[in-house]
Amino acid sequence: MYQLVADTDEFLVVDKAAGVPVHGPSAAPTLIERLREDFNNPALNLVHRLDTGTSGLVVIAKNPTANRLLAQLFAERVVCKRYLAISPSKPSKKQGWIIGDMVKVRDGNWILKHNRDNPAKTYFISAAVKPHCRLFVLAPHTGKTHQLRVALRSQQAAILGDERYSKCAADRMYLHSWRLSFQFKDEDFRFSVWPNSGELFQDEALMQLALELEGRLPDGV
């Protein structure tokens, strides 16, 4: 269900497995339920959320004060986030900003509009790994529901294995919360974890390509 990445006085960082819901209601055990049980701490709270199919880094506060302060960092968009994704399709552009309002439509889906009243903002860079396999490094500046999934769908490059927005089935949804960095109480924290599931993610050359793409992100992204 998860692997422990960090255990500080104020918060936990875990690597959530793909397919695990972070909170209820759910027929399956949720991440927060398991953590409260494992750490014998009912005060644990999710600071932010990942979709069930997304794997990777999640921050969990140990007490209400830490939860408020950490949630404020995410709300103020001072947490640096990097995600990895794989799509079988070439996007409309190889890199750049994806900005627009997100509108909920039928069946719980979201679409990206050109309006910018309260836009979702994502910067991405991508490169081909092999035919029908393209790696994306994503830098979200907002944290809206389904944001990254909808952003890539808007570029005609839906994420492989995304049952909601893609027609391409796979052994998992290929979206992973790769890196998180932030300053908390005057201390700098940096966390990074590579996906431990998904056949395509296990290609050693992929990690080198991800590092190269990250290095090419513009300053301030």
Side-chain angles (χ1 to χ4, degrees):
M1 176 176 277
Y2 72 90
Q3 292 183 352
L4 183 64
V5 175
D7 183 357
T8 77
D9 291 340
E10 302 279 7
F11 61 87
L12 304 170
V13 179
V14 302
D15 175 14
K16 183 188 84 69
V20 174
V22 295
H23 64 102
S26 171
T30 66
L31 176 67
I32 192 61
E33 289 171 343
R34 177 63 62 84
L35 287 167
R36 286 169 178 166
E37 178 181 341
D38 289 352
F39 286 85
N40 192 28
N41 183 355
L44 292 180
N45 268 305
L46 294 161
V47 176
H48 62 118
R49 299 173 182 178
L50 296 181
D51 292 337
T52 298
T54 306
S55 60
L57 295 166
V58 184
V59 181
I60 297 94
K62 286 187 171 182
N63 56 69
T65 299
N67 186 48
R68 176 177 56 80
L69 294 175
L70 287 163
Q72 185 175 358
L73 294 180
F74 278 85
E76 293 176 349
R77 303 172 186 174
V78 294
V79 177
C80 181
K81 298 174 282 187
R82 299 287 184 263
Y83 285 72
L84 301 172
I86 291 178
S87 173
S89 304
K90 183 179 179 179
S92 303
K93 56 184 178 182
K94 293 182 179 180
Q95 70 182 81
W97 285 101
I98 305 172
I99 302 175
D101 291 340
M102 293 182 61
V103 177
K104 195 170 187 178
V105 293
R106 63 182 181 180
D107 299 327
N109 289 356
W110 294 79
I111 58 173
L112 197 72
K113 307 290 279 187
H114 293 299
N115 310 58
R116 296 188 178 187
D117 296 323
N118 183 25
K121 299 179 180 180
T122 303
Y123 193 91
F124 81 94
I125 187 168
S126 69
V129 180
K130 55 186 178 182
H132 307 297
C133 180
R134 193 171 190 90
L135 177 66
F136 292 75
V137 173
L138 302 155
H141 280 232
T142 50
K144 299 181 183 295
T145 302
H146 296 185
Q147 176 174 321
L148 300 180
R149 298 160 68 183
V150 172
L152 289 193
R153 177 67 183 84
S154 75
Q155 298 299 305
Q156 289 76 54
I159 295 170
L160 182 64
D162 186 344
E163 296 180 355
R164 184 176 289 274
Y165 298 104
S166 172
K167 296 180 180 179
C168 294
D171 55 342
R172 59 159 292 177
M173 183 168 75
Y174 277 83
L175 180 61
H176 177 78
S177 174
W178 179 32
R179 298 191 191 277
L180 286 175
S181 59
F182 53 87
Q183 187 178 76
F184 180 71
K185 293 188 174 181
D186 298 322
E187 186 174 354
D188 290 328
F189 292 93
R190 298 178 183 275
F191 306 101
S192 179
V193 62
W194 189 259
N196 58 24
S197 69
E199 181 179 356
L200 294 176
F201 274 145
Q202 306 316 305
D203 185 346
E204 292 184 4
L206 205 70
M207 182 181 293
Q208 183 59 41
L209 179 58
L211 293 172
E212 291 175 5
L213 290 176
E214 185 187 34
R216 287 159 46 192
L217 289 171
D219 292 340
V221 167

